[in-house]
Amino acid sequence: MGDGSRGKNFHSNSSINLKHLKQKKMKTKTILYGTITGTISMFLLGFLIFGVALAGFMAENANPAINRPAEQMNFPALVVSNCMWALLISIMIVRSNAKTVSAGAQTGALIGFLGCLGFDLTMFATTSLYAGGMTVIIVDVLAFTVLTTGSGALIGWVTGRTASSAATATT
Amino acid sequence: MKTKGILLGTLVATITIFFLGWFVYGIIMEDFMAANTNRIAGRPLEEMQMWAILLANLFWGLFLSCLNSWTGSLSFRSGAQKGAVAGLLTSLAYNFSTYSMSTYFLHPGVVAVDAIAYAALTCVAGGLAGWVMGRAAKTSTATAV
């Protein structure tokens, strides 16, 4: 009888482990898809907002002594930057189970607003990077929040779809 | 209950980031940052905007507390994990963006070192915020019972 219960325990333990492993794999896949979508959307939205709509304003209000002109910008670094923001938003969306367009947008908005404000104010306090003063910081933070809200909404939608399709496949 | 926890967490994280930030960036890494960032843009100590640093720390404290609240991180360990991940990723993201558009960071290595230092800072601040928020949640549950 002892052997039989041990066998049952082994089976239930291994099925729990398998389930746990599948869930972990699904979470990783969801975060990965969210990150890819977020990176692409942040890059494109960033180009539209900062590269087109606000290009003149940003050029006027940034410190010309250290600002790179458009042709000298380091694009690989910019892609890595977008990827890191998208990864953080994806992780938070999956961890807090906010896998819908509206919940994703809220998560993206809060991360973008508080994160950007925290860093912009630190840079303003310790450097002369923002020559335009507080006005440029307010505009930068608001524009960045719009960007992360849009990307967060997309990430929320993609992670929701990935999670539901993975759940359907498991059942 | 949630709001009270977030407020307490924000307060603790803000104070922690301010003092740890001063210790890490103002003492330990002062020479390293001075040698590896563009001095044209750096403000001398006497011209630094302290009110902006305080505000920045406050927003960071709020950010970490909100993350703890969303993810249910109400212990030192889980708060520290979330704080470290958030600090590392946002710092890398912001620094790489600054590196791509300006000559403030002189080479990518500084970006990485700064991000690791900042992650250590937010790890402790997030952990303390999580601990305080957990205690606040426990106290209010006990009071309700």
Side-chain angles (χ1 to χ4, degrees):
Chain A
M1 189 182 160
D3 283 345
S5 67
R6 221 179 283 161
K8 266 183 196 170
N9 279 343
F10 173 76
H11 276 292
S12 64
N13 279 345
S14 60
S15 68
I16 288 168
N17 282 342
L18 203 69
K19 203 176 167 188
H20 182 71
L21 211 71
K22 270 186 185 169
Q23 276 177 347
K24 214 172 176 182
K25 201 177 160 187
M26 195 189 88
K27 257 188 182 172
T28 312
K29 193 179 157 188
T30 313
I31 289 173
L32 187 73
Y33 282 7
T35 307
I36 294 169
T37 314
T39 306
I40 297 167
S41 64
M42 282 195 80
F43 192 82
L44 295 178
L45 269 177
F47 165 72
L48 278 178
I49 296 173
F50 290 102
V52 178
L54 289 171
F57 175 80
M58 285 300 183
E60 272 171 33
N61 290 287
N63 189 337
I66 61 164
N67 234 33
R68 289 183 201 269
E71 59 277 11
Q72 280 176 23
M73 275 196 190
N74 191 322
F75 279 98
L78 200 58
V79 173
V80 173
S81 165
N82 291 334
C83 187
M84 294 297 122
W85 279 116
L87 177 61
L88 179 67
I89 296 172
S90 301
I91 290 173
M92 288 309 158
I93 282 175
V94 171
R95 287 273 174 165
S96 58
N97 215 14
K99 295 173 213 155
T100 59
V101 172
S102 102
Q106 281 174 27
T107 309
L110 211 69
I111 289 176
F113 180 74
L114 293 177
C116 189
L117 198 52
F119 278 120
D120 273 6
L121 282 171
T122 309
M123 288 306 249
F124 173 72
T126 56
T127 71
S128 60
L129 210 67
Y130 297 105
M134 282 307 287
T135 314
V136 70
I137 289 180
I138 293 166
V139 172
D140 185 52
V141 169
L142 290 179
F144 194 72
T145 307
V146 171
L147 205 154
T148 50
T149 305
S151 296
L154 257 176
I155 294 171
W157 180 68
V158 167
T159 49
R161 277 185 70 96
T162 315
S164 63
S165 66
T168 316
T170 336
T171 49
Chain B
M1 191 191 93
K2 247 187 180 176
T3 315
K4 192 185 161 191
I6 290 177
L7 277 175
L8 275 172
T10 304
L11 186 71
V12 170
T14 304
I15 296 168
T16 311
I17 293 171
F18 185 81
F19 285 107
L20 260 183
W22 167 70
F23 183 66
V24 173
Y25 288 100
I27 297 175
I28 298 176
M29 289 178 59
E30 189 187 9
D31 294 339
F32 175 82
M33 290 308 275
N36 292 286
T37 51
N38 197 331
R39 288 294 89 196
I40 299 170
R43 287 186 200 269
L45 198 66
E46 59 277 9
E47 280 177 26
M48 280 195 186
Q49 309 282 324
M50 290 312 278
W51 64 268
I53 291 187
L54 265 171
L55 257 185
N57 294 341
L58 180 73
F59 285 117
W60 266 106
L62 179 62
F63 181 41
L64 293 174
S65 301
C66 283
L67 291 191
N68 280 344
S69 174
W70 288 344
T71 53
S73 306
L74 302 178
S75 67
F76 183 86
R77 197 179 158 183
S78 57
Q81 282 174 355
K82 306 295 178 303
V85 170
L88 183 74
L89 293 179
T90 47
S91 187
L92 279 175
Y94 194 88
N95 287 354
F96 268 120
S97 154
T98 306
Y99 177 73
S100 74
M101 289 182 269
S102 75
T103 55
Y104 179 69
F105 292 108
L106 297 183
H107 54 91
V110 201
V111 169
V113 173
D114 181 54
I116 292 166
Y118 200 71
L121 211 146
T122 51
C123 176
V124 178
L128 283 174
W131 177 69
V132 168
M133 289 166 80
R135 277 183 71 95
K138 266 183 202 163
T139 315
S140 54
T141 315
T143 318
V145 173

